[in-house]
Amino acid sequence: MPLGSPLLARRRLGTLAAAFAAAGLLALPVQAQTVMKLASATINDVQHEWQKVFAEELAARAGDGITTEIYPASQLGTIPRMAEGVLLGTIESFITPTAFLVNTEPTLQIFDAPGIFDSPEHLARVIHDPDYRDHIETLALDKDLRIIGAIYNSPFLVLTKQPAPTLEDLEGLKIRTFASPLQIQPMSAIGASPLPLPLSEVVPALQAGNIDGMLAGMPILTAFKYYDVAKYVTDLQFSLIVSVAVVNETWFQSQPEEVQQAIREAGRAAEQAVLPWGITNVEKSNQAWLDNGGEILQLSAEDKSRMDATFKEVSDRILGEDEKVAGEYERLLEVVEAKR
């Protein structure tokens, strides 16, 4: 056989490759590990805590089958961009208040209805009822989103640069809201000027005077040190925020069955685990607000009653406009009453 023959060359290359591999000098191809990016707009709050617990629970169940990377504080973009990313599959998972997904799945606005939950514990009994929780998982499947986490977030408050202890004080103020009709239209009904805005844009808007305040939960206000730009919070006591973690369904279905099951189980385990953490964190955040010179104001009983009546009228109208949304709201209210 000629010394330069292709067959001899291949044999020599094979011998050399085997020798290098045995010596650990040749990197043999390995199967790429699946990476699951977990995105959120917030940090050091119950959404971030859910992500951390979920990552631990998933690792315990799936082992090396999947790895997680957590990106809090809008590291992967503004809220609209992260929502778009999970829809397109460029981000595997995104956790956010339901209001920010209403444009994608209108039925999620039922969780923004005012006055339906008596307490964080009542909210948790509702969304973690086994049958209803299974149903929540499927609410956005036709939009290619699966809900793998559902958690109590915090009560809604309104932050203002000037004290606003009455409804009249809110009239004419430009208030940042979530992008949900059940925040935009109720605020309009009491005379405020609502403006949906990504969280990452709120501080510059407050500093520039482009807005006068915002609707949010206290853990966000303290985590991002809003007391440096506005000192006053009015506790409207009209609604509790529900956050959901969604995954791209096409991506989810591409995973092995055991990984799919691990993701679902980890999500449920994490949402149960973070409930007491979330309740305590709200209490700590309220105290942190006061410790940093902020004030927490309350509406009078008369103003509270008038606001509740106005918000309910607006809510009933909005939730009754679409047959599918109305049906989901009815189903939710049945569980709400059963779990009181």
Side-chain angles (χ1 to χ4, degrees):
M1 182 182 299
L3 290 176
S5 73
L7 179 58
L8 183 56
R10 285 197 297 270
R11 285 176 179 172
R12 286 174 176 171
L13 285 173
T15 302
L16 285 172
F20 285 148
L25 299 176
L26 183 67
L28 296 177
V30 295
Q31 187 171 0
Q33 189 176 43
T34 297
V35 175
M36 183 179 186
K37 296 185 291 294
L38 309 176
S40 73
T42 59
I43 192 169
N44 298 331
D45 70 331
V46 72
Q47 294 187 154
H48 191 196
E49 186 69 12
W50 181 91
Q51 290 177 320
K52 291 186 285 186
V53 175
F54 170 80
E56 293 172 358
E57 294 284 349
L58 184 59
R61 288 168 170 80
D64 295 333
I66 188 169
T67 187
T68 53
E69 296 176 353
I70 300 176
Y71 296 91
S74 298
Q75 291 181 44
L76 297 186
T78 63
I79 289 174
R81 296 292 76 76
M82 287 186 285
E84 181 182 82
V86 80
L87 282 166
L88 294 174
T90 57
I91 298 172
E92 288 75 31
S93 178
F94 173 46
I95 186 167
T96 187
T98 53
F100 287 113
L101 294 173
V102 165
N103 288 337
T104 299
E105 179 44 63
T107 59
L108 292 176
Q109 67 189 303
I110 62 177
F111 298 107
D112 295 326
I116 59 176
F117 299 117
D118 300 334
S119 65
E121 293 83 1
H122 179 220
L123 183 156
R125 289 195 298 273
V126 172
I127 63 175
H128 297 155
D129 173 77
D131 289 340
Y132 191 61
R133 180 63 187 83
D134 286 345
H135 179 63
I136 289 174
E137 183 167 335
T138 68
L139 282 175
L141 275 184
D142 62 342
K143 305 302 192 301
D144 208 32
L145 296 178
R146 178 180 295 267
I147 295 174
I148 62 164
I151 58 173
Y152 160 68
N153 186 310
S154 57
F156 271 115
L157 309 167
V158 60
L159 169 77
T160 55
K161 296 173 74 172
Q162 300 298 323
T166 71
L167 292 182
E168 284 73 21
D169 292 322
L170 294 172
E171 291 180 4
L173 296 187
K174 298 185 290 293
I175 303 295
R176 178 263 187 177
T177 66
F178 295 1
S180 167
L182 281 177
Q183 286 195 14
I184 295 170
Q185 294 189 34
M187 293 305 291
S188 292
I190 61 172
S193 298
L195 177 66
L197 202 64
L199 184 62
S200 56
E201 298 177 16
V202 173
V203 168
L206 281 169
Q207 292 172 328
N210 296 328
I211 60 174
D212 303 301
M214 67 180 293
L215 279 178
M218 185 62 87
I220 299 307
L221 299 181
T222 55
F224 288 93
K225 299 182 179 180
Y226 276 90
Y227 42 71
D228 289 338
V229 292
K231 296 290 185 185
Y232 304 99
V233 159
T234 304
D235 185 2
L236 300 180
Q237 299 180 30
F238 75 93
S239 184
L240 300 179
I241 302 171
V242 175
S243 289
V244 291
V246 294
V247 294
N248 179 277
E249 176 65 5
T250 300
W251 171 84
F252 179 83
Q253 292 298 335
S254 73
Q255 303 306 306
E257 187 175 341
E258 60 272 19
V259 171
Q260 293 182 24
Q261 187 63 23
I263 289 171
R264 295 181 71 246
E265 290 177 357
R268 304 287 181 101
E271 64 191 28
Q272 295 283 348
V274 301
L275 174 62
W277 190 98
I279 293 172
T280 300
N281 191 51
V282 170
E283 297 169 356
K284 289 180 178 178
S285 298
N286 288 342
Q287 189 58 52
W289 185 260
L290 298 173
D291 291 344
N292 284 277
E295 296 185 30
I296 301 176
L297 310 173
Q298 304 289 336
L299 294 177
S300 68
E302 181 181 352
D303 268 3
K304 177 72 165 60
S305 177
R306 182 157 62 93
M307 181 195 71
D308 288 346
T310 300
F311 282 9
K312 185 177 188 309
E313 180 182 347
V314 173
S315 172
D316 288 348
R317 173 176 53 79
I318 292 173
L319 294 174
E321 289 174 347
D322 180 275
E323 185 176 345
K324 182 180 178 183
V325 173
E328 289 294 346
Y329 187 46
E330 261 184 56
R331 182 169 184 164
L332 171 61
L333 290 180
E334 288 176 4
V335 186
V336 164
E337 290 305 317
K339 298 297 179 178
R340 287 199 192 279

